[in-house]
Amino acid sequence: MLSWTIYVSFLGALLVGLWPGRGAAGVRWVALLAAAAGAVLSGVGLWEVTRAGGALQLLADVAWVPELGIRYRLGADGLSAVLAVLTGVAAVAGVLFSWNIETRVREFFALFLWLVGAVYGVFLSFDLFLFFVFYELAIVPKYFLIAIWGSTRREYGAMKLVLYSFVGSAMVLVALLAAYVASGAHSFGWGEMVGASVPRSVQMWGFPVMFLGFAILAGLWPWHTWAPTGHVAAPTAASMLLAGVVMKLGAYGCLRVAMPLFGEGLWPWRSEWWGLGSWPEVFAVLAVVGIVWGALVALVQQDFKFVIGYSSVSHMGFVLLGLMTLTGAGWQGAVLQMVSHGLIAGLLFAVVGRMVYDRAHTRDLRELERMGLGRALPFAAGTFVLAGAASAGMPGFSGFMAEVHVLLGAWQSHPVLAVVTGAGVLLGAAYIWRAMQRAFFGGGSVEPAGAGAAPAAVAVAPVTWAERAGAVLLLGGVVLLGVWPRLVLDVVAPVLTGEVYGRLLRGAWW
């Protein structure tokens, strides 16, 4: 069932692209049906994987380039199935929040579904060459979605995102081919490559090269600058996908490929400057700097969307820190944070980009403060309050459980980093509160349209049914995982404690 998430998305993109020119309404419904079908299939697939205890289920295995051992091999375990469901939910919400797009509707939804299909492909690929192909396929639609339908220096934002993505991809490809040649492997299969013996001399440089190549897309400081620029320039649905699932491709690549393929690269090495050290220590420090730096920059932003863009950098730092703790709690927290941030960031970008900017025609917090949108858009204000509480790590929401797991893992591996990360959590609450107060609860004269507002007041259109449905979908996931995080933890735990990752845990050193 899960493999059909890829096919339905690409078939939907093809059908939308060939739709008659005057059928914009039909295009929207076809896109929504394709996204919803992918979401349903991913949910059924997760249920089947859960019944199997999170163990790997082979979905397809066909020879593609047999001379090089490349196969079209798709599979799903607890980790990939959970992220496939996240992709499905984000896709449905993205279509709903793009319902009123009028410019080149066919092209927009065709590229949107192309991106969704490529993301599904990354999460379900268990041949590393196929993984890389889908990873690259996701870059092309990102560029056009931002460059054509974006705003605020959209060409610059699109080019910067693609440039950083291609540089990271090149690093990943170099390390992958080096491992393939050095190990003497005759297959790019994930199990075969992970089980192959890559010389330690290759592992010690291959791990940081590949990990960094993936981590660039995950927003690792100081290579994070593409993220806020790209988020701000992108249209709402593209921002939701970029923050919700595309950044997760980088974190997933770190966990699924770089760490098990170059396991010895996680071990200590000797430096002539400061003696023993390890790459996990280096990347953990960079992740913590990203958490604090992203929060500090978000705290002083005047552009509402930049606040959310830098908050994504800060929250993705929790994912990378969790991975680099090399603890079971840290890894589970990192995966839960991937899902949690995907839902929360998508919701925040939807409120800022669609509900606020498309009506107020400004993202400047100083101007929004003078408007006081909370009275005119109570649904948007209430949604942002709840999403902001989740982003700040309030108990009862998914962000709290994810950050607790990461902090516990950090405390087990390096208490100093855990303390500094705690400061980042407090800063997160500060910038969310500041943005919420200024955007929605200022003393302005904005009124709901048709409410009998005074002539001098500014009227805004009410929130549509599609926007309400998308917000409820995302917010429901945030609350559900906050109350019942075992929905994710129980299905990913067998993967993270299995043979491959268990071996990494036993060999971990700090």
Side-chain angles (χ1 to χ4, degrees):
M1 300 293 289
L2 273 170
S3 61
W4 276 92
T5 58
I6 304 172
Y7 312 142
V8 165
S9 300
F10 283 127
L11 287 173
L14 179 62
L15 182 58
V16 165
L18 298 176
W19 200 264
R22 295 182 179 274
V27 166
R28 296 185 182 96
W29 283 106
V30 170
L32 180 59
L33 288 174
V40 171
L41 290 170
S42 65
V44 173
L46 176 61
W47 179 69
E48 293 176 344
V49 171
T50 302
R51 289 181 59 195
L56 176 62
Q57 308 292 306
L58 193 62
L59 307 177
D61 191 9
V62 181
W64 186 17
V65 187
E67 296 82 4
L68 298 177
I70 301 173
R71 304 182 67 83
Y72 182 78
R73 180 179 294 173
L74 301 177
D77 57 13
L79 177 59
S80 55
V82 163
L83 294 175
V85 171
L86 171 64
T87 304
V89 173
V92 173
V95 173
L96 290 172
F97 280 105
S98 305
W99 203 256
N100 292 332
I101 281 184
E102 300 292 343
T103 304
R104 303 174 67 174
V105 179
R106 289 183 306 166
E107 292 91 333
F108 178 86
F109 284 110
L111 289 168
F112 181 86
L113 291 174
W114 175 357
L115 176 56
V116 171
V119 171
Y120 278 128
V122 172
F123 290 143
L124 300 178
S125 293
F126 274 78
D127 180 280
L128 296 187
F129 192 87
L130 179 65
F131 175 100
F132 185 78
V133 169
F134 278 120
Y135 192 83
E136 290 295 284
L137 282 175
I139 294 177
V140 178
K142 290 188 298 185
Y143 173 82
F144 289 106
L145 285 170
I146 297 175
I148 297 175
W149 291 274
S151 61
T152 314
R153 303 177 70 192
R154 59 189 180 187
E155 294 86 359
Y156 172 75
M159 185 58 67
K160 188 173 184 179
L161 184 151
V162 170
L163 178 61
Y164 274 67
S165 299
F166 274 128
V167 169
S169 297
M171 297 171 68
V172 169
L173 183 60
V174 167
L176 177 61
L177 294 179
Y180 176 79
V181 173
S183 67
H186 301 289
S187 170
F188 278 92
W190 180 79
E192 291 86 342
M193 288 286 288
V194 168
S197 178
V198 179
R200 178 174 172 81
S201 58
V202 176
Q203 295 217 24
M204 293 310 295
W205 69 262
F207 171 73
V209 169
M210 179 176 280
F211 187 92
L212 181 57
F214 283 125
I216 288 174
L217 190 59
L220 177 66
W221 185 91
W223 299 275
H224 66 286
T225 57
W226 70 267
T229 305
H231 292 326
V232 170
T236 298
S239 294
M240 294 171 66
L241 279 187
L242 279 176
V245 295
V246 172
M247 294 183 79
K248 310 308 177 291
L249 297 183
Y252 179 77
C254 292
L255 179 59
R256 175 67 79 186
V257 184
M259 294 172 66
L261 185 60
F262 297 105
E264 288 191 46
L266 302 174
W267 295 3
W269 38 263
R270 182 172 295 280
S271 168
E272 59 183 272
W273 292 288
W274 57 78
L276 288 177
S278 70
W279 288 118
E281 287 178 317
V282 173
F283 289 120
V285 169
L286 294 179
V288 173
V289 172
I291 292 171
V292 178
W293 178 267
L296 286 172
V297 176
L299 189 60
V300 298
Q301 291 298 310
Q302 297 300 334
D303 188 309
F304 200 3
K305 206 171 184 182
F306 264 117
V307 174
I308 311 305
Y310 279 103
S311 77
S312 287
V313 173
S314 181
H315 283 95
M316 285 303 297
F318 280 93
V319 175
L320 297 171
L321 174 61
L323 297 181
M324 291 294 93
T325 63
L326 300 183
T327 64
W331 285 356
Q332 292 187 37
V335 176
L336 187 57
Q337 177 73 344
M338 289 187 210
V339 180
S340 172
H341 177 256
L343 298 171
I344 296 171
L347 187 56
L348 290 173
F349 276 116
V351 173
V352 175
R354 182 71 190 101
M355 297 183 189
V356 173
Y357 179 68
D358 286 357
R359 290 169 171 82
H361 307 293
T362 182
R363 297 192 302 260
D364 192 314
L365 289 174
R366 291 164 295 194
E367 295 184 23
L368 293 174
E369 187 175 19
R370 290 193 291 269
M371 294 180 181
L373 289 174
R375 180 180 177 184
L377 299 172
F379 183 85
T383 302
F384 189 86
V385 168
L386 294 175
S391 178
M394 186 72 67
F397 298 98
S398 57
F400 172 74
M401 296 306 301
E403 291 177 3
V404 165
H405 278 79
V406 172
L407 287 171
L408 285 175
W411 186 265
Q412 293 172 23
S413 59
H414 206 301
V416 174
L417 294 183
V419 173
V420 178
T421 303
V425 174
L426 296 177
L427 289 171
Y431 67 70
I432 284 292
W433 179 268
R434 169 181 174 269
M436 176 182 65
Q437 179 68 31
R438 300 189 69 180
F440 293 104
F441 302 108
S445 58
V446 177
E447 299 284 351
V458 179
V460 296
V463 176
T464 66
W465 70 267
E467 294 164 352
R468 291 176 184 269
V472 169
L473 176 64
L474 295 174
L475 191 57
V478 172
V479 174
L480 180 61
L481 290 183
V483 176
W484 195 11
R486 290 181 57 186
L487 281 174
V488 170
L489 298 178
D490 283 356
V491 73
V492 301
V495 179
L496 300 179
T497 57
E499 179 183 355
V500 172
Y501 292 99
R503 185 169 64 247
L504 295 180
L505 288 176
R506 289 190 296 272
W509 181 92
W510 276 77

